[in-house]
Amino acid sequence: MSDHFELNPGQVTLQDLRRIWAGEVSLTLSPNTAAAIKASFDFAANVAHSGDTIYGINTGFGLLASKQISPEKIFELQKNLVLSHSTGTGAYLSDSVVRLVLATKIISLSQGLSGVRDTTIKQLLDLFNAKAYPCIPAKGSVGASGDLAPLAHMAAAAMGYGRIRINGEEMPAAKGLKQLGFEPLALGPKEGLALLNGTQVSNALALNALFRSENAFAAALASGALSVDALRGSVAPFDSRIHAARRQQGQIDVATKLLELLNGSEILASHERCGTVQDPYSFRCQPQVMGAALGVIRSAAVTLELEANAVTDNPLIFVETNEAISGGNFHAEPVAFAADMLAMATSEIASISERRLAVLVDPNMSGLPAFLVKDSGVNSGFMIAQVTAAALVSENKTLAHPASVDSIPTSANQEDHVSMATFAGRKAGEIAENVATVVGIELLAAAQGMHLVEPLKTSPQLEPHLATIRAQVAPYGQDRYFADDIEAAKMMVTEGDFLDAARDILPSLG
């Protein structure tokens, strides 16, 4: 059963957003928002009947902003805006992403700057709490003027158009609303524009990538420590004095975690005087690489938390001065930059993980049986699992190319510079999925390395992580159908089974 959570716009934390993403909460809206919402809508309604010209209330949109709309067509204007902008394509966004879209749109609209009714916000709240998620195609937004097409699909579903998923069952939105006992939303002045304008889809995709990257980061910290143990490597490179000298906080935090994870390992103790001078970079430079990735994750988290609490539609209504001012908060450049940096950092988590895997399967480097299997030759062991990891790492190199350096003019050159944040967030999520697979394969390989050096044991801190792996995947004695093992390991990473390895240093969990 989900917990009730009260949204206080402007004060929603990253931890709150992770719970929303995970589907752990139902939502209510702080009653403190009511007065501001009403005052803002009253302003929009008065303008609609006053004859004053204000963009988005009684004008056309984009290049058509100079077109005056008569009072009797204002409601038709808002409905037509939603229907004409419902032009998305591609696979639908996942339920976890749509939950974030709905929640952050509610946060934005509830701050009394958007001119919408409380009943319109309530419709979004009711959909969220009923687990009735608009079917939003993933493609079709350039990240300015906001996520117009995908948010149009969100709004259309609330109005009874398009499609909706209720507890996983997809159906026409009109049928879904009737099944739930909800009336289709009829839009008031400015409400179509307020619903469509905004960065909520871009930000939800980037938050999805962030949370999945955190899961992968924690698992990679566990797999990296397990691999050091399987290699019978050295903990000397994690000495705190080295990292204090560099002053990079992420690096310091990762080195500290690796020392904690490996403390008390029988395997490492047995090789303290083995004569190996230096381990490969992928083992001894984990604090430098993973610490840098952690720094980027933390930076992205700050940007995305701020954006989740932001008002990003246009124009904004300031009732204190009786003004509606057109600006550009819908331009998602901050989100695009955060998502692109996150994509690059997460790619490096997989890159260094695959290199450790390559060392473990190489008997000349690891001292373990070739490809981590006895009777190699008859058995191929982890040979092609490493190839799979290498393929995904190479795929990530292309996906990590920044979307934000691209722009393409739209709307007859009225919207002549765009952020591409939606694509940036989407491909950052794809990278995180690839990383989960790569790190999952390393976890299997490191666990197999442990098996091959038994009866020596790993550290008390790593034993629970090893047990997590062994609860689902048995040691590799001889060749077997391998895909199921890899999928199981990937799901362990994706579902956050190793978060305890880094819980107190990750921004949405610390």
Side-chain angles (χ1 to χ4, degrees):
M1 182 178 292
S2 61
D3 295 329
H4 290 284
F5 174 72
E6 184 177 88
L7 285 176
N8 285 285
Q11 301 175 41
V12 180
T13 68
L14 203 64
Q15 290 80 8
D16 299 331
L17 294 164
R18 184 182 254 274
R19 293 178 67 204
I20 290 167
W21 172 75
E24 297 173 353
V25 296
S26 58
L27 300 179
T28 57
L29 185 62
S30 170
N32 296 333
T33 61
I37 292 170
K38 183 178 185 304
S40 181
F41 173 72
D42 287 347
F43 176 94
N46 289 337
V47 167
H49 297 98
S50 69
D52 294 340
T53 301
I54 293 185
Y55 174 73
I57 297 179
N58 51 16
T59 71
F61 306 102
L63 191 67
L64 304 176
S66 61
K67 297 282 187 179
Q68 180 85 25
I69 307 299
S70 60
E72 65 271 13
K73 291 191 174 181
I74 284 175
F75 298 98
E76 182 183 358
L77 169 71
Q78 300 299 320
K79 176 182 174 181
N80 287 347
L81 176 69
V82 172
L83 298 181
S84 67
H85 283 51
S86 298
T87 58
T89 188
Y92 294 141
L93 298 178
S94 67
D95 288 352
S96 57
V97 172
V98 176
R99 279 193 292 271
L100 286 169
V101 173
L102 287 169
T104 53
K105 178 54 80 173
I106 291 165
I107 292 167
S108 181
L109 296 180
S110 299
Q111 297 184 50
L113 298 172
S114 303
V116 303
R117 294 165 297 166
D118 56 358
T119 52
T120 297
I121 297 168
K122 184 178 183 299
Q123 183 85 332
L124 301 183
L125 270 170
D126 288 345
L127 290 174
F128 183 101
N129 290 331
K131 294 182 169 54
Y133 304 129
C135 293
I136 303 176
K139 300 180 181 181
S141 174
V142 293
S145 282
D147 295 311
L148 296 172
L151 286 172
H153 285 274
M154 178 202 72
M159 298 163 61
Y161 297 94
R163 300 187 69 77
I164 201 166
R165 283 192 305 274
I166 301 177
N167 294 314
E169 182 186 353
E170 183 186 326
M171 63 187 73
K175 177 183 175 183
L177 295 181
K178 184 176 181 180
Q179 177 177 307
L180 294 167
F182 297 171
E183 288 295 323
L185 178 64
L187 298 176
K190 194 183 178 292
E191 289 190 329
L193 184 60
L195 287 164
L196 269 58
N197 245 188
T199 62
Q200 286 77 33
V201 172
S202 292
N203 205 52
L205 286 164
L207 284 166
N208 172 66
L210 173 70
F211 300 144
R212 296 179 71 175
S213 295
E214 287 184 315
N215 291 355
F217 177 93
L221 208 57
S223 67
L226 287 166
S227 290
V228 169
D229 226 0
L231 187 70
R232 290 145 292 176
S234 173
V235 295
F238 310 144
D239 188 301
S240 63
R241 293 167 294 182
I242 296 172
H243 308 290
R246 196 173 194 181
R247 296 179 169 83
Q248 295 286 353
Q249 190 60 50
Q251 179 177 324
I252 291 167
D253 291 343
V254 169
T256 300
K257 275 292 170 190
L258 287 169
L259 283 175
E260 289 175 1
L261 287 168
L262 287 160
N263 185 42
S265 166
E266 291 180 8
I267 301 169
L268 293 188
S270 73
H271 276 259
E272 280 181 341
R273 295 176 178 82
C274 66
T276 301
V277 178
Q278 292 182 330
D279 294 331
Y281 286 2
S282 56
F283 289 78
R284 63 185 166 107
C285 294
Q286 289 185 72
Q288 288 79 7
V289 176
M290 292 289 285
L294 179 59
V296 171
I297 289 171
R298 287 169 169 169
S299 175
V302 171
T303 297
L304 301 180
E305 182 182 77
L306 288 171
E307 195 73 8
N309 284 282
V311 182
T312 55
D313 62 291
N314 183 65
L316 298 184
I317 293 171
F318 300 94
V319 295
E320 298 85 354
T321 55
N322 208 37
E323 292 179 282
I325 305 176
S326 286
N329 281 0
F330 50 70
H331 199 297
E333 198 83 347
V335 178
F337 285 170
D340 279 340
M341 289 297 293
L342 190 61
M344 288 185 275
T346 311
S347 294
E348 282 297 277
I349 294 171
S351 178
I352 197 170
S353 173
E354 184 277 329
R355 288 293 80 206
R356 291 191 298 267
L357 170 64
V359 169
L360 292 180
V361 301
D362 184 345
N364 296 316
M365 296 289 288
S366 68
L368 295 167
F371 303 110
L372 302 175
V373 66
K374 295 176 181 178
D375 197 14
S376 55
V378 173
N379 294 299
S380 295
F382 280 71
M383 179 190 294
I384 305 304
Q386 186 268 327
V387 173
T388 297
L392 294 176
V393 167
S394 213
E395 182 177 303
N396 283 349
K397 295 171 188 175
T398 298
L399 289 172
H401 180 84
S404 56
V405 299
D406 182 33
S407 180
I408 188 167
T410 62
S411 193
N413 283 307
Q414 175 76 5
E415 298 158 6
D416 60 346
H417 185 276
V418 299
S419 71
M420 301 307 298
T422 325
F423 180 45
R426 185 156 49 83
K427 68 186 184 64
E430 291 180 34
I431 288 171
E433 182 173 0
N434 286 343
V435 175
T437 303
V438 174
V439 173
I441 294 171
E442 186 195 1
L443 285 163
L444 296 179
Q448 180 68 6
M450 301 290 184
H451 174 66
L452 293 170
V453 299
E454 290 176 348
L456 293 173
K457 291 185 177 181
T458 188
S459 71
Q461 297 73 240
L462 286 174
E463 279 288 355
H465 298 300
L466 188 58
T468 295
I469 299 166
R470 286 292 169 246
Q472 296 195 47
V473 180
Y476 201 102
Q478 61 185 20
D479 282 347
R480 64 187 187 227
Y481 186 73
F482 210 163
D484 290 346
D485 293 350
I486 292 172
E487 183 62 22
K490 172 190 171 182
M491 291 307 297
M492 287 183 245
V493 177
T494 300
E495 293 175 4
D497 289 356
F498 301 95
L499 281 173
D500 284 346
R503 186 175 296 276
D504 58 343
I505 63 173
L506 290 169
S508 79
L509 297 162

